[in-house]
Amino acid sequence: MSVETLTRDVVVIGAGATGLNAATRLKEAGHSVIVLEARDRVGGRLWTNEIDGVPLEIGGQWVSPDQDVLKSVIAELGLKTYARYREGDSVYVAEDGTRSLFKGDIFPVGAETEAEIVRLIGILDGLAAEVGYLAPWEHPRAHEFDAISFTEWLEQQSDNTIAKDNVTLFVGPAMLTKPAHSFSLLQALLMAASAGGYSALVDENFMLDERVVGGLQSVPLGLAARLGDDVRLNQPVRHVKDHGDSVEVLTDDITVTAKRVIVALPPNLVSRIGFAPPLPRLHQQMLQHQSLGLVIKVHAVYETPFWREAGLSGTAFSPYQLCHEAYDNTWNVDAETQDTKGTLVGFVSDEHADRLFRMPAEERKRLILESMASYYGPETLNPVVYYESDWGAEEWTRGAYAASFDIGGLSRYGQDLRSSVGNIHFASSDLAGHGYQHVDGALRIGADTAEAISTSL
Ligand code: FDA
């Protein structure tokens, strides 16, 4: 088969939110672009798909009020948002399995433990503000904060196990999706700082505020539609050759010669591309110290949202349950397109996810639904549609939600995180300071990288 040869100003590798926004902004600035995407669809970790007749958000879905760039792109594409359903009581399940109802951010854990949770969140808020999201590795205590695991740091701060379990929930299972003994205090502070503070991570009304009508994949789909033929699907990039005065990017079918390339991939996938000359040694090392977490996002759809009739919002938490958090995820809550079915979404993270993925699918499903039933009762056990998002098995992602450093990695390699190498630039939500791990961060770093390239061209 003959190889198609093309010439462009900039080649973008990856049609996720990062790559598509970078290409869009470069094209607006008058540069010619092409986006090469490995999959047969755009959106990467954003994927809205119909499962057994029900549209589900397989990947990212929520928009928080601080996601300014995402909000402006949503408006630019003429998309609409709606508020997540949150009327009624939330549910908390304690260590001994006791179920209680509550409103607000702090779980019903007793006055003393509540005061301890508030105290710990206060300390974390202060440290996150000091460390910031742009260059946490520059903080005078960066090395110290990066040398201690989040678990160990909490051990030093408090004797209250329930308080520690609850504080861990927000940054471990719920965000980095890794066990808290495997990431550092500094990495946790970066996550918190990028979201506006540890208090913001705790506030699900903030983090999980709105959804996009039609699904969040409408954003990359909208950007790709404008780029038209300049987005090419089924084109996994195999090689990048930087010749100094030009760069060559090769898939099995296409060779593009360009002035610059943007590698818009999560860091765990960059080494699948062969680089000539090889990337610098510290860059190679940096890539080996970042990995994606693992979370199973579970959708369970019912004939009706039965929990609403019981006065429940659908919001549920427990650091002691397999499914550590769950929400009402009923499609499109507005008068015109209101779905009559009810959808719950739950999350099983890190070591729980490892354990469940070693089991047969039927046993996994039974255990997950039993865990969700501890929040909403026995009706939960019989959904009409059941679906587990399995990003760990996706060839072109290999985990969820995003990448973080192992202990000590952020202070050691953070300074190289967003550095370009010759004509090669790197961008993805995993590298974003502002909006780290979120779609807003993806769009931001895409636009910033486009601007830097545009200026240099
Ligand atoms: P992304 O991984 O999306 O894009 C990279 C692209 O590169 C992919 O399309 C991939 O196929 C392609 N690719 C890989 N290798 C290639 C190669 N060699 N050649 C060509 N192409 C290649 N965020 C948020 O804001 N709100 C939320 O509610 C959630 N929730 C959430 C849930 C789940 C289950 C997940 C997995 C993620 C989220 N997120 C989220 C995170 C959010 O989805 C994520 O941060 C961004 O979508 C990442 O966009 P990027 O473009 O940076 O990477």
Side-chain angles (χ1 to χ4, degrees):
M1 201 174 81
S2 69
V3 169
E4 187 181 352
T5 53
L6 300 169
T7 305
R8 292 288 194 280
D9 290 331
V10 184
V11 187
V12 178
I13 307 176
T18 300
L20 290 169
N21 204 35
T24 301
R25 305 311 154 198
L26 281 162
K27 208 166 173 179
E28 280 170 0
H31 306 290
S32 60
V33 294
I34 188 148
V35 183
L36 300 172
E37 166 56 46
R39 286 177 162 103
D40 61 0
R41 61 169 182 84
V42 301
R45 281 170 273 178
L46 299 179
W47 186 17
T48 311
N49 200 11
E50 209 171 284
I51 307 290
D52 297 336
V54 185
L56 298 178
E57 292 281 44
I58 315 286
Q61 65 169 84
W62 286 295
V63 183
S64 55
D66 61 332
Q67 293 193 307
D68 302 333
V69 175
L70 173 55
K71 286 189 158 216
S72 76
V73 175
I74 286 170
E76 183 186 328
L77 294 172
L79 299 168
K80 292 198 167 56
T81 59
Y82 60 100
R84 178 176 62 88
Y85 184 83
R86 62 191 88 170
E87 309 295 315
D89 291 323
S90 304
V91 183
Y92 176 78
V93 174
E95 195 178 8
D96 62 1
T98 315
R99 174 181 178 273
S100 42
L101 305 183
F102 73 103
K103 285 195 165 67
D105 300 337
I106 306 287
F107 304 154
V109 283
E112 202 180 307
T113 300
E114 177 172 338
E116 186 63 349
I117 293 175
V118 170
R119 187 183 75 81
L120 290 169
I121 292 173
I123 298 173
L124 286 162
D125 270 341
L127 290 175
E130 261 188 42
V131 158
Y133 53 74
L134 275 182
W137 49 89
E138 285 177 2
H139 188 273
R141 296 176 68 191
H143 191 267
E144 175 195 337
F145 290 170
D146 209 22
I148 187 165
S149 75
F150 192 67
T151 303
E152 220 179 319
W153 178 81
L154 271 179
E155 285 298 319
Q156 292 177 1
Q157 304 300 313
S158 175
D159 292 329
N160 186 322
T161 305
I162 298 174
K164 287 183 284 190
D165 292 343
N166 278 283
V167 168
T168 300
L169 174 69
F170 299 106
V171 76
M175 278 292 152
L176 298 175
T177 62
K178 290 180 175 178
H181 61 254
S182 70
F183 57 83
S184 72
L185 170 64
L186 190 69
Q187 177 64 69
L189 294 174
L190 163 59
M191 185 72 248
S194 73
Y198 210 88
S199 306
L201 295 184
V202 173
D203 182 356
E204 98 279 352
N205 280 332
F206 180 83
M207 293 303 289
L208 282 57
D209 185 30
E210 291 188 303
R211 300 180 58 185
V212 171
V213 176
L216 195 46
Q217 197 194 1
S218 309
V219 169
L221 285 169
L223 293 172
R226 288 179 174 182
L227 289 162
D229 292 343
D230 288 326
V231 179
R232 304 288 288 267
L233 301 178
N234 301 306
Q235 295 300 328
V237 168
R238 312 288 187 195
H239 299 280
V240 171
K241 298 179 184 174
D242 191 347
H243 302 296
D245 53 354
S246 70
V247 61
E248 249 183 313
V249 177
L250 290 83
T251 74
D252 297 338
D253 311 325
I254 304 175
T255 296
V256 192
T257 303
K259 294 172 186 159
R260 300 280 192 280
V261 55
I262 302 176
V263 180
L265 314 182
N268 63 314
L269 298 183
V270 172
S271 300
R272 298 195 69 194
I273 297 175
F275 290 90
L279 294 176
R281 62 181 71 72
L282 292 183
H283 201 106
Q284 308 268 25
Q285 282 284 304
M286 175 182 68
L287 291 171
Q288 293 176 61
H289 285 271
Q290 291 169 89
S291 58
L292 262 66
L294 183 63
V295 63
I296 314 174
K297 181 177 185 180
V298 177
H299 277 97
V301 183
Y302 303 87
E303 289 301 350
T304 60
F306 62 87
W307 54 95
R308 293 186 188 176
E309 287 142 36
L312 300 179
S313 61
T315 302
F317 293 101
S318 174
Y320 309 108
Q321 282 295 320
L322 257 187
C323 177
H324 66 268
E325 61 184 316
Y327 306 93
D328 185 318
N329 214 26
T330 304
W331 191 253
N332 203 1
V333 188
D334 79 15
E336 280 164 46
T337 46
Q338 172 82 42
D339 191 350
T340 55
K341 288 198 171 57
T343 301
L344 290 170
V345 64
F347 297 86
V348 179
S349 188
D350 58 81
E351 287 170 320
H352 289 311
D354 298 344
R355 189 162 64 79
L356 289 199
F357 274 133
R358 290 196 176 97
M359 293 177 181
E362 272 311 305
E363 198 178 341
R364 188 164 67 234
K365 176 179 173 182
R366 179 179 62 78
L367 289 173
I368 292 174
L369 287 174
E370 278 174 11
S371 179
M372 290 174 75
S374 72
Y375 300 124
Y376 314 107
E379 274 185 273
T380 321
L381 297 172
N382 298 303
V384 291
V385 175
Y386 175 87
Y387 184 79
E388 294 167 4
S389 298
D390 187 3
W391 288 95
E394 287 274 325
E395 179 70 353
W396 301 107
T397 303
R398 303 184 172 193
Y401 307 109
S404 49
F405 277 98
D406 54 14
I407 292 174
L410 180 57
S411 58
R412 220 170 140 193
Y413 301 109
Q415 63 185 299
D416 300 318
L417 198 58
R418 295 185 285 268
S419 306
S420 52
V421 175
N423 293 310
I424 308 166
H425 296 249
F426 299 87
S428 81
S429 72
D430 319 80
L431 316 186
H434 197 170
Y436 170 57
Q437 293 216 355
H438 284 95
V439 180
D440 188 66
L443 297 169
R444 272 177 203 277
I445 197 167
D448 290 351
T449 309
E451 194 182 332
I453 291 177
S454 187
T455 308
S456 74
L457 289 177

